[in-house]
Amino acid sequence: MKIPFHPKLLDCLPDYTQAQLGKDVAAGITVGVLALPLAMAFAIASGASPTAGIWTAIVAGLITSALGGSRVQIGGPTGAFIPIIYGIVAMYGFGNLLIATMLAGVFLLAMGIFRLGQLIRFIPVSVVIGFTNGIAVVIFMAQLKDFLGLQIAELPPEFFAKIKVLAANIQSVHLPTLALSVASLIFLLFYNRLAQTRTLGFLRRAPGPLAVLVLATAATALFELPVETIGSRFGGIPQELPAFALPSLSLETLGKLISPAITIALLGAIESLLSARVADTTIEDRHDPNQELMAQGLANIAAPLFGGFAATGAIARTATNIRSGGRTPVAGIVHALVLLTMVLVLAPLASHIPLAALSAIVVVVAINMGEWHEFKKLRRFSNNYRAILLSTFFVTVVFDLTIAVELGMVLACLFFIYRMSELTRIERLPLKEHEQEPAFLYPDGTLRITAWRLYGSLFFGAVNKLEILLDPHAGHPEVVILDMQSLIQLDTTGLEGLESLLGKLKKRGCTLLVCGLNSQPGSLLYRSGFIDHLGDENVCTTLTDALARAEYLLPPLQEDEV
């Protein structure tokens, strides 16, 4: 099998201009500055060190841009991964998180190689909204410890245990931390408005997360606030390149990490392709979903080798890249190089960053990532849509994202099957031209010929509707015509139903005629041998031809039947 590996970068280089290079460099610098505080904040919220988040952004961001299937996608750690990574770290440890991430990378790479990128689009929007809002709630709850400065050693990953621990320690709120967190949160929520004023117009030159880090760090140092910082908890950020190392692996551990790895791969695929699709509408381009998945796979395989963890396409950073003028993968490559430069030059300053400010950044990300307006719109939609969205949301918050997506997909499939079965119907056709002819009537006035028309799809969820043709109340015709001109699809269960119908009609001495076969149902009926049992002469082009054939087949009535 030929692997279709063709990064988008190769399509951009032949027509690349110096003017576009200037725009890409400017966009890369802007996104790089924005990515630094987000990478640290997401890493700390996930139970990892800020260094791990930074190197995830550098390595994964570089590979995503250089080898991806989108012109403008920016890769790195994202808020959606926080509850998943936190749970893996709490249950298996950070070392096993690296293994799970690499395993997820293998899954993503395989999905791209086998061209499964289009299948991600089959996930219903109700499922996506449900787990996105659920993740936002989980992220918000996980930040309460650092946001309030609670004296808790470690929050458990389980929902009810987390609620219990938070409630038991709510009296340990640290007021200086709370004050700094609230001030940072308010600043971020109103950042765009503040940046439009004359007094604070200079804020437009810096992204909100970076501005709040600078101001919060300055306030902490100026007022000597007794709050926890990156230095006090993690000992700072090393001003050096990380050591290249393979995580230790055992077969016993590998088996336990398959399920978490699938979760990482599934969420990474959904978020990266969703981000790329949103970007396409902005720049009027079309990404390659399979190439994007292969790049995400390679990024998640490579990042743990440098101490990083799970990464995917980041919608907010990708949007910032587009707004800043980035139009080729060069901007994403520059963003990774900017991050690398900042680590090697400014790492010592990061030790003074207060965790309360980083927590506020994550809280704002959680607020913004949730599509809360969709809850208000629920009353406009069907009960099926509501059930899928709310079930996915509830299970994501209380249990697990993987279970939530599985449940949402199962519900969506069941509701779809029910809906399709409702659209499939069989109606009896009136044969008025035969109702007055004695040769076509039994003595009781019932017709010796009946005609039925199939509508929709005859599949496993609707095959039981064929039973009406055998209903004693429908009479005992000698010829049954089945008009399939409105049947668009037939599956093997529907085929089995037709074969059963044919056999039962033959036992009654009744002949079955079919007409109006469309391409897919007709192809299956011929390939399966159904037409051989039915007889080519009993396959008609139109209903008129079928009626003529039925008239020919009717034997004369016996004297005792007249």
Side-chain angles (χ1 to χ4, degrees):
M1 181 184 69
K2 184 179 178 180
I3 300 176
F5 192 87
H6 187 79
K8 205 73 169 181
L9 179 63
L10 298 179
D11 296 332
C12 299
L13 291 179
D15 300 323
Y16 202 67
T17 63
Q18 187 173 356
Q20 187 57 54
L21 175 62
K23 294 179 181 178
D24 286 339
V25 169
I29 293 173
T30 302
V31 179
V33 171
L34 170 64
L36 180 65
L38 292 178
M40 292 190 293
F42 292 154
I44 294 171
S46 302
S49 69
T51 305
I54 293 173
W55 285 105
T56 301
I58 293 172
V59 177
L62 179 63
I63 294 175
T64 296
S65 296
L67 304 179
S70 170
R71 288 175 176 266
V72 293
Q73 181 87 285
I74 301 295
T78 65
F81 275 131
I82 289 175
I84 299 170
I85 296 172
Y86 186 88
I88 296 174
V89 172
M91 190 171 297
Y92 303 106
F94 185 77
N96 286 327
L97 168 64
L98 302 183
I99 298 173
T101 301
M102 296 184 73
L103 190 57
V106 173
F107 291 153
L108 285 166
L109 183 61
M111 290 169 65
I113 291 174
F114 290 104
R115 308 188 69 81
L116 300 181
Q118 300 292 346
L119 296 181
I120 301 299
R121 298 186 178 185
F122 293 161
I123 298 178
V125 65
S126 53
V127 175
V128 175
I129 293 172
F131 77 68
T132 300
N133 287 6
I135 288 173
V137 172
V138 174
I139 292 173
F140 179 81
M141 290 182 57
Q143 286 308 297
L144 291 178
K145 171 181 173 291
D146 286 337
F147 191 88
L148 301 176
L150 300 179
Q151 304 303 306
I152 302 173
E154 188 174 346
L155 274 177
E158 296 82 11
F159 175 77
F160 293 109
K162 188 180 298 179
I163 293 291
K164 185 177 180 180
V165 170
L166 288 172
N169 292 274
I170 193 66
Q171 74 281 356
S172 65
V173 172
H174 189 241
L175 293 181
T177 299
L178 177 60
L180 185 59
S181 298
V182 172
S184 301
L185 178 63
I186 294 174
F187 179 83
L188 285 170
L189 291 176
F190 293 94
Y191 180 77
N192 290 332
R193 294 183 184 179
L194 293 172
Q196 299 301 320
T197 62
R198 290 185 178 181
T199 306
L200 300 176
F202 65 91
L203 292 175
R204 300 175 195 172
R205 302 177 182 178
L210 180 65
V212 80
L213 278 196
V214 173
L215 293 176
T217 303
T220 301
L222 180 63
F223 298 106
E224 298 182 353
L225 297 178
V227 297
E228 200 170 13
T229 64
I230 287 179
S232 64
R233 181 181 293 185
F234 301 101
I237 295 176
Q239 194 177 9
E240 59 186 11
L241 295 175
F244 181 89
L246 285 169
S248 58
L249 176 65
S250 67
L251 291 178
E252 180 182 359
T253 304
L254 185 64
K256 296 178 182 178
L257 296 176
I258 290 179
S259 179
I262 292 174
T263 304
I264 293 173
L266 179 62
L267 182 57
I270 294 172
E271 190 167 7
S272 63
L273 296 186
L274 179 62
S275 173
R277 208 160 93 186
V278 171
D280 284 350
T281 61
T282 306
I283 64 173
E284 297 182 359
D285 190 41
R286 186 174 182 180
H287 73 281
D288 182 344
N290 299 306
Q291 181 64 40
E292 185 64 27
L293 289 181
M294 286 189 280
Q296 295 297 337
L298 294 172
N300 281 279
I301 292 172
L305 299 177
F306 297 89
F309 51 86
T312 186
I315 296 177
R317 272 158 280 172
T318 299
T320 302
N321 181 34
I322 295 172
R323 287 196 302 268
S324 302
R327 289 296 181 272
T328 76
V330 172
I333 295 173
V334 171
H335 132 270
L337 296 177
V338 168
L339 276 172
L340 177 62
T341 303
M342 293 174 72
V343 170
L344 297 180
V345 175
L346 304 176
L349 299 178
S351 299
H352 305 290
I353 295 175
L355 298 184
L358 292 174
S359 179
I361 291 173
V362 178
V363 168
V364 171
V365 169
I367 293 172
N368 291 336
M369 76 180 292
E371 299 185 51
W372 312 112
H373 59 279
E374 293 294 334
F375 287 126
K376 296 181 181 179
K377 293 163 56 177
L378 279 179
R379 63 181 181 275
R380 305 179 187 175
F381 297 101
S382 65
N383 290 332
N384 294 351
Y385 181 91
R386 296 173 197 166
I388 295 170
L389 193 154
L390 293 176
S391 297
T392 307
F393 171 77
F394 177 78
V395 175
T396 300
V397 173
V398 177
F399 297 104
D400 179 71
L401 173 66
T402 306
I403 300 174
V405 173
E406 291 172 354
L407 175 63
M409 290 299 294
V410 168
L411 287 176
C413 290
L414 290 176
F415 289 140
F416 176 77
I417 292 169
Y418 175 76
R419 179 60 177 160
M420 288 300 296
S421 68
E422 288 293 299
L423 295 175
T424 301
R425 64 186 195 277
I426 301 178
E427 295 181 357
R428 187 165 179 171
L429 299 176
L431 302 175
K432 295 181 180 180
E433 66 275 15
H434 294 85
E435 291 176 357
Q436 306 301 324
E437 299 184 28
F440 302 125
L441 298 173
Y442 287 114
D444 61 1
T446 58
L447 279 169
R448 299 168 69 191
I449 303 171
T450 58
W452 303 80
R453 179 167 291 161
L454 271 169
Y455 296 87
S457 173
L458 188 61
F459 69 114
F460 63 89
V463 69
N464 64 311
K465 297 194 176 185
L466 289 174
E467 296 174 0
I468 192 173
L469 276 70
L470 302 170
D471 189 350
H473 296 92
H476 298 279
E478 296 173 55
V479 179
V480 172
I481 299 172
L482 199 56
D483 184 356
M484 296 187 177
Q485 69 173 0
S486 298
L487 184 72
I488 58 174
Q489 192 269 341
L490 174 72
D491 73 352
T492 52
T493 306
L495 171 65
E496 185 180 352
L498 289 174
E499 291 173 340
S500 175
L501 174 68
L502 176 62
K504 291 177 180 178
L505 289 177
K506 282 184 175 180
K507 287 182 180 180
R508 293 184 179 185
C510 180
T511 302
L512 176 66
L513 305 180
V514 297
C515 65
L517 287 175
N518 288 312
S519 58
Q520 192 277 331
S523 174
L524 181 56
L525 290 179
Y526 276 101
R527 286 185 287 108
S528 65
F530 176 84
I531 299 300
D532 295 333
H533 295 124
L534 179 68
D536 287 325
E537 67 279 5
N538 292 329
V539 180
C540 305
T541 305
T542 65
L543 179 59
T544 302
D545 295 337
L547 288 170
R549 171 66 180 168
E551 185 176 342
Y552 171 79
L553 291 173
L554 282 181
L557 289 173
Q558 301 296 323
E559 292 184 3
D560 58 343
E561 295 178 314
V562 178

